[in-house]
Each structure stands twice: as C-alpha cells, then as structure tokens.
Amino acid sequence: SISTRGYHSLQVRSDGAIYAWGRNNYGQLGDGTNTDRTVAVQVKDIQDVVAVAAGESHSLALRNDGKVFGWGYNWYGELGDGSTTRKNKPVQVEELSDVTAIAAGSNHSLALRSDGTVFVWGDNTYGQLGDGSTKNSSKPVQIDELTDVIGIAAGGYHSLALRSDGTVFAWGYNNYGQLGDGSTTDSSKPVQVEGLTDVIGIAAGEYHSLALRSDGTVFAWGHNSYGQLGDG
C-alpha cells in the first residue's frame, strides 16, 4: 500500500512497517521529528499496518486489527484523537474499530467499517464530513444516510462512497461539479452521482472524481482545466 497527496509520501512494507518521506513541517512523516526527509524514514510506534492514506499535511494508517491511527497536522481535528494538537508520532483515532478502508482528503479523514458504515472527522468547511453540518469534528462521526458501502475515496474537499448496489454518492465541495449531481452547489449530505450504475471502483483528485464500471469503462467529472477528465 502506498499513498501520496500534498508534499509527502507513505509506503507500507510487507512486514507491516510504514516508511515516509518528503515534507515534515507538521510531523506528517511520523518519525518523531519535524525535519523534512529526502529518503524514507520509518514511522515510529506502529506495526502490523495494512493500509495508509496521506492527506495534505496529515497521515493515516489502518492496522490489521481494524484500528486507525493518525499523525501530522491537526488544526481541524483530522487525526481523530479528540484534540486539535499536531502530532509527530501516531495516535489512535478514538472510538473507531472494525475498519476495513481509510481515505484522507486535504484536511479531513474517512473510514469504512466492516458493516458498511462510514465515519468521518476533521475539516468540514464545505460539508465534506457529510453529517449535515459544516462544523469540524475532532472525533469520528457516522454518516447516518450511508449504508451498504464497499468503497470510499477523498478528494481535496469532497468525499465519495461506493455502495454494494453499484451506485456512487458524493458530498462536500462542488464548485467544479465534482459531486456529479448536475449542480455546482456544495452539499453537507451525500447526494447520488447522476446516471452512474454498475460501479466497482472509485477515486478522487483534488477537485475531480472518477469511477470504474464493471464493463471496464471509466467515467470522470469535476475540474478539467488541465484535461484531467480525459474527454479531449
């Protein structure tokens, strides 16, 4: 598992250790320092990791026991430890277990549990937590409207969820149409991506979104100033 977003990168080795490199001004490399690294350093105090996710200045890790840990920038509560204090070593996300997938936006975080429910925390300026508010949260909150979810993805300031029936839902920042609901209005609750079914995979860039359908076709929507939608 590897992940990169802002100015740092994360890699999980086969032995469950995490290595990180790049910018470290907020402790997002998790090595106990705030020193930038041009070569990989091991993240301290965590083993048995199965997945990682890199936000703009924070990092997340999923351990094989279903627990989630975070480190780095925490101004918006994106580490999920109940505080807004930055950390240069991993801290456990509070009140969260049985997690099967994680995702990190610029300053918000998501987790998918084995029962198909989605929990979110951190920056909520544009409603990217999907809880119907624009209030930040330093602890995980459940998105009540979402059930039977099998995949999650985080853009810069928006979020996506894939349901078991092949439909996709999105919420948060929508200035470029990245929610796919036919509007450019932000939404603090999940809205269904229009005209999209039979989806088996999702991904999100800073301001755009993608979906892979079961027939092997790819759909994209949102920001396209650099041709990132691939429609010519």
Side-chain angles (χ1 to χ4, degrees):
S1 174
I2 56 175
S3 182
T4 186
R5 179 176 290 277
Y7 302 97
H8 72 292
S9 303
L10 304 170
Q11 179 185 32
V12 181
R13 287 201 335 192
S14 58
D15 62 0
I18 311 173
Y19 283 78
W21 60 97
R23 195 173 185 182
N24 197 28
N25 54 328
Y26 299 114
Q28 57 263 50
L29 300 189
D31 67 341
T33 78
N34 293 82
T35 303
D36 296 347
R37 306 290 185 181
T38 58
V39 296
V41 292
Q42 186 171 353
V43 176
K44 289 184 176 294
D45 303 334
I46 190 167
Q47 295 288 339
D48 302 318
V49 173
V50 295
V52 287
E56 184 167 337
S57 299
H58 76 290
S59 305
L60 300 174
L62 172 60
R63 216 167 57 180
N64 63 6
D65 61 358
K67 302 291 180 62
V68 180
F69 294 77
W71 59 97
Y73 195 55
N74 197 28
W75 179 262
Y76 302 95
E78 56 264 52
L79 301 189
D81 68 338
S83 81
T84 53
T85 305
R86 65 186 68 166
K87 307 291 194 311
N88 57 22
K89 293 182 183 179
V91 292
Q92 187 172 339
V93 176
E94 291 192 359
E95 302 166 6
L96 192 61
S97 59
D98 300 317
V99 173
T100 59
I102 53 175
S106 286
N107 298 299
H108 72 290
S109 307
L110 296 90
L112 170 62
R113 288 186 55 183
S114 58
D115 62 0
T117 57
V118 177
F119 287 76
V120 290
W121 59 97
D123 184 16
N124 200 22
T125 304
Y126 303 101
Q128 59 263 52
L129 298 190
D131 66 345
S133 79
T134 53
K135 182 181 177 181
N136 299 342
S137 179
S138 60
K139 293 184 179 182
V141 293
Q142 184 177 348
I143 302 178
D144 294 329
E145 289 86 355
L146 281 179
T147 57
D148 301 317
V149 174
I150 60 172
I152 53 175
Y157 304 95
H158 73 291
S159 308
L160 302 174
L162 169 61
R163 289 186 56 184
S164 59
D165 62 0
T167 57
V168 179
F169 288 76
W171 59 98
Y173 191 51
N174 197 29
N175 193 56
Y176 302 104
Q178 58 265 51
L179 300 190
D181 67 341
S183 81
T184 53
T185 303
D186 300 346
S187 179
S188 62
K189 289 190 175 183
V191 293
Q192 187 170 350
V193 177
E194 291 187 358
L196 195 58
T197 58
D198 301 316
V199 174
I200 59 173
I202 52 175
E206 192 78 357
Y207 301 116
H208 70 292
S209 308
L210 299 98
L212 169 65
R213 288 184 56 183
S214 58
D215 62 1
T217 56
V218 178
F219 287 75
W221 59 100
H223 196 220
N224 199 29
S225 292
Y226 303 101
Q228 54 265 57
L229 302 189
D231 65 345

